[in-house]
Amino acid sequence: MGRLSPNKRSEMMRRPRATTAKAVKYTDSDVSFSQTVSSDDEDNEEWRPLEPKPKDAAAGQKKRSVKPKEPKAPKQPKAPKQPKAPKVPKDAKPRAPRKPAAKAQAAKVLQDSGASGLAGTKRKRKDDKAGEDKGGKQTEEEMAEESGPSTRMKEERVSFIVSDAHQTDRWAGEGSSLAGLKPKKEEVEEDFTFDMPCVKKQKTTGACMRQPTALPSSQAQALRNELDMSWDLIELLSTLTCVERWVCVNIIKLLREENTVPFMVRYRKEMINHMDADAVRDVQLVYEELRTLAKKTQSVVQTMKKDGVLTPELEQNLRSCRSADELDHVYSPYKKGSKLAKARRAKALGLEVAASALMDAPHTLDLNAFVKSGTEGLSSVKEVATGVEHILADMIAKDPETLTHVKTLCENNFVTIQSSVSKSALKEKGKGQSGQSGQSVQGHSKPGAHQNKSKDLDKFQLYSEFTCNVQRIQPHQTLAINRGESLKILTVKMNIPDRVKSDFTRWCINNRWKPRTFAREEHHVIIRNAVEDSFKRLILPFLTRSYRTKLTSAAEKESIAMFVRNLRQRLLMCPVRGCVIMGVDPGFRHGCKLAVLSPTGQILHTDVVYLHTGNLNQQREADKLRHLMMKYGCTRVVIGNGTACRETESFFADLISRRYCHPLDVSY
């Protein structure tokens, strides 16, 4: 008891200092303020639970706070006066706005689990015991060290929060009045972080930095001037490739900056939405096709300007084409060397005015006014009506809305592709048989082209009478049919149901190409004939070319993909027979990629390990590697010669030297 008296005096000397600090209310430093409150709260925390008298001396020795609280015994008679009891929580008012977030968080953690509070109390008691061992030798230098902005201050701050949370629970149990005061002090909206700057909240929107909805204005204008088409490149590219618009924007931006596909896939994953190389390559191919289409359109427009056949309406149709087939369909009547189209001959005769009048104001149209005897194509009313039909048929076949509608009708119906032996191949086959019989009679057996032709016919025996839906035909079948057609052994045609023709004719007459005003019966007959002639003579060949082009393109892509799969299997053949191999692709930031291969070359497991991010992480990853090697019996490690290959090699060499994977005999 004699040794503890200096401690009593030292603590009694420290308490008035803390109380004086509260009265003066230091505001120049948050650190000194929090320290003084912390010391006072520690005393309050230790004194309040022991308001009743200690039963024995053993309890007093376990809790050293009983002895220094003897000077505060005079406060015990004041307990009936409840207005003075809340003085301790009132002193905490100025600190509540300082750290509400941490305070509320600590209280919540203590409610969920009392372990953290006990840990904080034990840490505090350990510090106090260390102070007892020193005796009464605490000086002002020690107090200055505690009040300084250091890691020690943060620990004191934590102990202050824990003790405050304990007091809250005790107040809630002792009296309802004190329990009701405490929540009001925690309702503060200020967000303050001790010794650290406040965290800035960032807004997340769809049009963030990595998800732009359009190219920068300068690049967009340059691309628009380069293409000079009526459609939006990004929107069309997104529609054709089924890729999100912002991804298409980023891919175009990266391609215009001359970045390669492997670079984008490896180092620009976030910008391309983590697409693989094949998907990015598909977008690149479509983008290049659209650029090629725009260049070809520019060339066609310049050529037609020189020929003097370009009109504003025709130029708009050309710049609206979305594929090479559509462009060829619009431009084919105006190509040099081709026959003069029927519509062009009718327009040269001046019947374009009659065709426009038939659609806009048929009640004012008089075909007899265009009859000119002695002029070919205008000698009778029938020839005039035929010329008007040709002009209308050309207008219908080049209308984008009409072409879109007929494609939709074909997609909703059963369109088939049919192949059969060509007449020329049958004739040559017959000649070859007769020639062989003649040679056998004459005794000459000279192999020639007839034998080769018969062999080719045998190769395409499966496609001599072949019919299949265009949506279910296999890629190899398409390529075989194309080869047979190029050898002039097979004849190929597209079968479009008659229902498509009837629905298309009805839609044109009743909707798209319906006269704006009342028309006589002979005018309706002209429109119907024009629609039927347009479908048979212009639209049907266009659909055939379109289907054949799509099937061929899809088959070629699939053939390349098949070659890639076969080559991949060939390259994945195990280089060392009879053992399991672990392949490692070294890396720093993105980790080392692993692949475990069976003795037959099958992929057993793939994973990523981070071997170069710290000692603790290395130990965890080493355990993972040992688990994989023991699981699959892997005895060979193959390390790639790329970035971080030397570091990876030293890592595995260290594992092998320590026999980390014992009893496996691992080598690299």
Side-chain angles (χ1 to χ4, degrees):
M1 296 299 290
R3 286 195 308 167
L4 297 179
S5 58
N7 292 340
K8 293 179 185 179
R9 288 196 298 270
S10 62
E11 290 187 6
M12 289 173 62
M13 291 174 65
R14 291 175 62 186
R15 283 175 193 149
R17 289 178 185 175
T19 308
T20 306
K22 286 182 187 177
V24 176
K25 293 185 181 178
Y26 288 113
T27 58
D28 57 343
S29 173
D30 295 339
V31 178
S32 61
F33 172 79
S34 60
Q35 171 61 27
T36 55
V37 176
S38 174
S39 60
D40 189 25
D41 278 336
E42 289 176 4
D43 298 336
N44 293 335
E45 178 195 2
E46 296 167 359
W47 175 73
R48 280 197 171 276
L50 299 174
E51 285 180 357
K53 297 180 180 179
K55 295 181 179 179
D56 52 357
Q61 291 179 359
K62 289 181 182 178
K63 297 183 180 180
R64 65 163 186 80
S65 58
V66 176
K67 296 169 183 178
K69 288 184 178 61
E70 291 177 359
K72 292 229 175 185
K75 288 186 179 180
Q76 202 167 6
K78 297 181 181 180
K81 297 181 181 180
Q82 293 185 359
K84 292 186 179 181
K87 282 185 179 180
V88 175
K90 282 182 181 179
D91 293 335
K93 274 186 180 179
R95 76 170 186 276
R98 291 292 181 181
K99 183 98 177 187
K103 184 176 177 181
Q105 185 178 3
K108 184 177 180 181
V109 171
L110 285 170
Q111 288 177 4
D112 296 341
S113 173
S116 61
L118 292 173
T121 308
K122 289 179 181 178
R123 183 172 63 251
K124 182 193 62 177
R125 290 177 177 176
K126 193 177 296 183
D127 297 336
D128 293 338
K129 289 181 180 179
E132 284 183 359
D133 295 338
K134 292 180 182 179
K137 296 182 180 180
Q138 283 186 334
T139 61
E140 294 181 359
E141 295 178 359
E142 183 180 354
M143 296 180 64
E145 181 183 355
E146 291 176 357
S147 62
S150 61
T151 308
R152 173 69 178 171
M153 187 60 244
K154 294 183 179 180
E155 294 176 359
E156 292 291 335
R157 187 68 172 173
V158 173
S159 63
F160 158 69
I161 296 168
V162 172
S163 62
D164 187 65
H166 274 290
Q167 287 179 359
T168 304
D169 295 337
R170 295 188 186 106
W171 288 334
E174 290 175 2
S176 60
S177 61
L178 295 179
L181 292 174
K182 192 62 181 176
K184 293 182 180 180
K185 297 175 183 178
E186 295 183 354
E187 292 178 357
V188 182
E189 297 181 358
E190 183 182 355
D191 188 8
F192 174 75
T193 307
F194 184 76
D195 256 2
M196 295 175 64
C198 296
V199 180
K200 296 182 179 179
K201 298 180 180 180
Q202 297 179 352
K203 295 182 179 180
T204 55
T205 59
C208 63
M209 182 180 65
R210 297 193 182 276
Q211 295 187 4
T213 56
L215 288 171
S217 57
S218 58
Q219 295 185 11
Q221 185 63 32
L223 186 60
R224 198 177 300 112
N225 295 336
E226 178 185 348
L227 299 178
D228 196 13
M229 301 295 285
S230 60
W231 34 258
D232 183 24
L233 174 64
I234 298 174
E235 182 179 356
L236 182 58
L237 184 63
S238 177
T239 302
L240 295 177
T241 58
C242 299
V243 177
E244 295 181 1
R245 182 184 176 92
W246 68 271
V247 180
C248 293
V249 170
N250 286 335
I251 291 177
I252 292 175
K253 182 179 178 181
L254 292 171
L255 289 175
R256 290 181 68 85
E257 294 173 357
E258 299 182 357
N259 293 301
T260 60
V261 174
F263 176 83
M264 289 187 283
V265 172
R266 185 171 181 85
Y267 300 106
R268 297 295 182 267
K269 294 179 181 180
E270 295 82 6
M271 294 183 68
I272 62 175
N273 201 18
H274 298 271
M275 294 171 60
D276 57 2
D278 294 334
V280 177
R281 212 168 273 118
D282 291 340
V283 177
Q284 182 186 17
L285 290 176
V286 176
Y287 170 66
E288 291 177 353
E289 289 176 1
L290 293 176
R291 291 186 62 187
T292 304
L293 174 65
K295 292 180 181 179
K296 188 176 180 180
T297 303
Q298 297 293 339
S299 176
V300 169
V301 169
Q302 294 298 329
T303 303
M304 297 182 70
K305 277 184 180 179
K306 292 180 181 178
D307 296 341
V309 295
L310 184 66
T311 61
E313 183 180 358
L314 181 59
E315 183 178 2
Q316 180 64 25
N317 292 336
L318 289 171
R319 298 190 185 279
S320 300
C321 295
R322 300 190 173 192
S323 64
D325 291 336
E326 292 184 16
L327 180 64
D328 185 67
H329 176 67
V330 176
Y331 176 57
S332 58
Y334 303 94
K335 288 182 179 179
K336 291 183 179 180
S338 61
K339 286 185 180 181
L340 194 61
K342 295 179 179 180
R344 290 182 62 185
R345 288 199 298 266
K347 289 179 181 179
L349 295 174
L351 296 178
E352 188 174 5
V353 179
S356 301
L358 178 60
M359 299 307 301
D360 297 334
H363 62 281
T364 62
L365 177 62
D366 184 11
L367 297 179
N368 294 320
F370 294 91
V371 176
K372 294 180 181 179
S373 58
T375 303
E376 185 180 359
L378 299 176
S379 58
S380 63
V381 176
K382 185 177 181 180
E383 291 184 355
V384 172
T386 303
V388 173
E389 290 174 4
H390 292 162
I391 295 175
L392 287 178
D394 183 71
M395 294 170 60
I396 293 170
K398 295 176 181 178
D399 181 56
E401 184 179 351
T402 304
L403 294 178
T404 303
H405 182 74
V406 73
K407 287 179 181 179
T408 304
L409 292 176
C410 291
E411 291 175 358
N412 297 332
N413 286 274
F414 195 80
V415 180
T416 60
I417 181 173
Q418 180 181 352
S419 65
S420 59
V421 181
S422 62
K423 294 180 180 179
S424 60
L426 292 175
K427 288 180 181 180
E428 291 183 4
K429 183 179 181 180
K431 289 181 182 180
Q433 291 177 354
S434 62
Q436 287 179 1
S437 61
Q439 287 177 2
S440 62
V441 172
Q442 296 176 4
H444 299 287
S445 60
K446 185 169 65 175
H450 295 294
Q451 293 182 357
N452 296 333
K453 199 71 175 179
S454 62
K455 290 181 180 179
D456 291 339
L457 285 174
D458 295 337
K459 289 180 181 178
F460 296 98
Q461 187 66 31
L462 292 174
Y463 303 99
S464 58
E465 296 294 336
F466 178 81
T467 303
C468 183
N469 185 4
V470 294
Q471 296 179 354
R472 296 183 179 180
I473 189 172
Q474 299 299 318
H476 69 273
Q477 295 174 339
T478 301
L479 296 177
I481 290 173
N482 291 344
R483 288 196 300 269
E485 187 181 23
S486 62
L487 294 173
K488 298 183 179 179
I489 297 175
L490 300 178
T491 301
V492 186
K493 67 176 182 179
M494 302 297 301
N495 295 326
I496 296 178
D498 295 336
R499 180 181 176 182
V500 175
K501 179 181 178 180
S502 60
D503 292 345
F504 174 75
T505 304
R506 188 183 308 109
W507 178 81
C508 288
I509 294 174
N510 297 330
N511 295 280
R512 183 71 179 93
W513 299 97
K514 181 180 180 180
R516 296 183 179 179
T517 59
F518 176 76
R520 294 190 294 273
E521 182 62 28
E522 57 270 20
H523 295 161
H524 284 292
V525 172
I526 293 174
I527 295 175
R528 176 178 290 275
N529 293 338
V531 171
E532 293 178 354
D533 178 61
S534 176
F535 183 83
K536 180 180 179 180
R537 183 169 57 89
L538 301 174
I539 294 179
L540 200 58
F542 167 73
L543 293 175
T544 301
R545 291 193 303 270
S546 178
Y547 273 112
R548 293 295 302 277
T549 302
K550 288 181 180 179
L551 291 176
T552 302
S553 177
E556 290 175 350
K557 289 182 179 179
E558 180 59 27
S559 66
I560 295 174
M562 177 64 70
F563 176 78
V564 169
R565 288 194 292 268
N566 294 338
L567 180 62
R568 182 173 182 269
Q569 293 296 331
R570 180 67 61 181
L571 294 176
L572 286 177
M573 291 297 292
C574 196
V576 182
R577 296 183 180 180
C579 64
V580 181
I581 290 181
M582 174 183 289
V584 182
D585 179 21
F588 284 113
R589 178 183 175 187
H590 298 286
C592 300
K593 289 80 175 176
L594 304 180
V596 182
L597 302 180
S598 68
T600 58
Q602 301 296 325
I603 299 178
L604 301 178
H605 183 79
T606 58
D607 207 334
V608 180
V609 293
Y610 299 88
L611 306 179
H612 314 297
T613 57
N615 295 331
L616 296 177
N617 197 33
Q618 281 186 351
Q619 183 61 35
R620 184 173 64 252
E621 301 298 344
D623 295 340
K624 181 191 290 187
L625 291 174
R626 180 175 60 181
H627 171 72
L628 292 176
M629 290 181 178
M630 299 295 292
K631 180 179 180 181
Y632 297 104
C634 179
T635 57
R636 298 289 184 274
V637 180
V638 183
I639 303 173
N641 57 342
T643 305
C645 63
R646 299 299 180 188
E647 292 80 359
T648 306
E649 179 185 3
S650 63
F651 180 82
F652 278 97
D654 180 64
L655 293 183
I656 294 173
S657 64
R658 291 189 289 131
R659 298 180 61 84
Y660 196 74
C661 300
H662 185 76
L664 294 177
D665 184 15
V666 181
S667 61
Y668 71 93

